[in-house]
Amino acid sequence: MNHIDTLFADATSTTTTSQQQPYLVLDIGCNKGYTSADFLDALSPGTNMNPHTLVTAIRAIAKEDNTKFDRDGGVCNDSKKALNRDRSTVRDVEVHCFEPSPATYEMLIRAHTKLMPKEEDGGAKWFIHNKGLHSTNGEMAWHSACAHAVGDELCTIVDEGTSDAITVPVVTVDKFLEETYPSSSSELPLVHMLKIDAEGLDPAVLQGSMNVLTQNRAIMVMFEFNPGLSEKGDHPHGMWGRNGNPRVTLMEVTSWLDDIGYDCYLDTHLPDENEKNKGALEAPGLYRITGDCMSKEPSVRGWANVVCASRKYGNVAERLLELATIVQT
């Protein structure tokens, strides 16, 4: 997240419409809100909405309800991340947090009230939506875990008619942008970061982002690649992996993104100190996929993020290339 504000500013320095527009982040699969907090801290640190203040709010809510939320600091200890050294700058930022779980949504609304009770014109804003994102618009059946458990990883789309399933509204990224940012032209607003963590349904969300991506109106895209979700014994789900339904490969998705102007990289799970002590090998953070640098479906430990940058905004794509390791597979 270091200097991402400068990266985005440089990327849009030659445009006209985006200069009037706030930084725009779509946090799809918001869960407990730590990605939203990361971006708000990176882009508008003076707002004081960051992983450290967020975990304090979440634990205060749990105490009020006489309970404890599972992994309240985030799955990867997100609440302990280092903060932006700049603690005073306030910028115009809009972060949209999409969370299909009604229980988690209610917790996020309460956290928002504690952390950002007054959002003035200008400055940073955090919008929270009780919606799922998919390739279609309407309603879909979701796992019953979405109704009551905060941050439950089982909160995903299930087959219609599933016992105890709940109904949650779903929307495509394109439809959301068209309705939220209406324009007299056909051009969608510039999305600085499109982040997707959809419990294995990331390809469907990307399909619902067809217009914003083919117009190259997203500077960066980040989604989760987790083939193991479809291979779980008790609750298999998702589109990645050998049992994906329908099965989609990472190579198919990144090849399509390459065709429409995006360079993609596998952002690997780096071993922590405990894993290193057990013999896990060091590995670079980014492996380039685009350009036949990776030609076979990768195997990952658990999960990995994929980070893509539009070549239309050359400095961002070049920065990722500088950070990446090129490995022919």
Side-chain angles (χ1 to χ4, degrees):
M1 294 286 185
N2 288 341
H3 308 301
I4 197 165
D5 57 307
T6 304
L7 199 62
F8 288 156
D10 289 347
T12 59
S13 61
T14 59
T15 65
T16 54
T17 57
S18 57
Q19 289 175 350
Q20 311 297 321
Q21 182 194 309
Y23 291 116
L24 179 56
V25 176
L26 303 188
D27 182 4
I28 298 167
C30 193
N31 203 285
K32 296 183 183 75
Y34 284 108
T35 297
S36 290
D38 258 346
F39 276 103
L40 286 164
D41 183 55
L43 296 170
S44 187
T47 306
N48 204 34
M49 162 57 173
N50 58 64
H52 295 188
T53 57
L54 178 58
V55 73
T56 300
I58 289 173
R59 288 173 179 167
I61 292 166
K63 187 175 181 180
E64 291 166 7
D65 294 349
N66 196 28
T67 188
K68 185 181 187 306
F69 301 134
D70 184 44
R71 296 177 176 177
D72 58 7
V75 175
C76 298
N77 289 320
D78 307 272
S79 65
K80 296 182 179 179
K81 289 182 179 177
L83 300 185
N84 192 336
R85 292 182 180 180
D86 173 2
R87 302 307 315 147
S88 60
T89 300
V90 174
R91 298 186 180 90
D92 291 348
V93 182
E94 294 185 2
V95 177
H96 290 271
C97 158
F98 299 89
E99 178 48 52
S101 161
T104 306
Y105 167 77
E106 291 299 331
M107 184 276 291
L108 289 167
I109 290 292
R110 291 168 67 184
H112 182 281
T113 300
K114 290 179 181 294
L115 295 169
M116 304 174 72
K118 296 180 181 179
E119 293 183 346
E120 308 292 343
D121 290 338
K125 296 180 175 63
W126 188 29
F127 302 98
I128 304 169
H129 310 275
N130 187 201
K131 294 178 183 290
L133 275 292
H134 205 261
S135 59
T136 59
N137 300 290
E139 293 183 334
M140 300 185 84
W142 292 70
H143 196 286
S144 58
C146 305
H148 307 293
V150 170
D152 198 312
E153 296 294 326
L154 289 178
C155 186
T156 187
I157 293 171
V158 296
D159 294 334
E160 293 290 339
T162 299
S163 176
D164 297 327
I166 65 170
T167 300
V168 175
V170 295
V171 66
T172 65
V173 168
D174 289 337
K175 184 70 170 177
F176 172 79
L177 291 173
E178 289 167 4
E179 293 183 345
T180 308
Y181 299 95
S183 170
S184 57
S185 72
S186 60
E187 188 174 72
L188 292 170
L190 183 66
V191 176
H192 293 79
M193 171 62 79
L194 172 59
K195 170 263 176 181
I196 305 168
D197 181 356
E199 288 300 303
L201 298 176
D202 305 63
V205 181
L206 288 167
Q207 186 179 350
S209 311
M210 182 75 69
N211 291 340
V212 72
L213 292 174
T214 54
Q215 291 179 17
N216 273 234
R217 297 297 290 169
I219 297 177
M220 293 184 72
V221 182
M222 180 170 66
F223 59 90
E224 186 179 82
F225 173 62
N226 192 343
L229 290 176
S230 73
E231 297 156 13
K232 286 184 174 180
D234 295 335
H235 301 283
H237 58 277
M239 301 169 74
W240 306 118
R242 60 178 177 270
N243 297 325
N245 181 27
R247 187 185 180 208
V248 177
T249 70
L250 180 61
M251 294 297 98
E252 290 169 343
V253 171
T254 54
S255 177
W256 170 66
L257 286 166
D258 182 18
D259 288 344
I260 60 174
Y262 286 83
D263 289 345
C264 293
Y265 299 81
L266 192 69
D267 185 3
T268 59
H269 170 69
L270 299 179
D272 58 25
E273 288 304 316
N274 186 46
E275 290 171 318
K276 290 177 186 176
N277 292 337
K278 292 180 179 179
L281 299 177
E282 290 272 14
L286 291 178
Y287 287 96
R288 184 173 170 89
I289 300 172
T290 306
D292 293 329
C293 293
M294 192 177 291
S295 56
K296 293 186 288 189
E297 197 76 355
S299 296
V300 298
R301 288 188 302 125
W303 56 270
N305 285 322
V306 177
V307 182
C308 307
S310 168
R311 292 190 289 271
K312 180 178 178 180
Y313 307 96
N315 68 311
V316 182
E318 289 166 10
R319 179 60 180 149
L320 288 186
L321 182 58
E322 290 171 3
L323 296 171
T325 297
I326 311 297
V327 180
Q328 294 287 341
T329 64

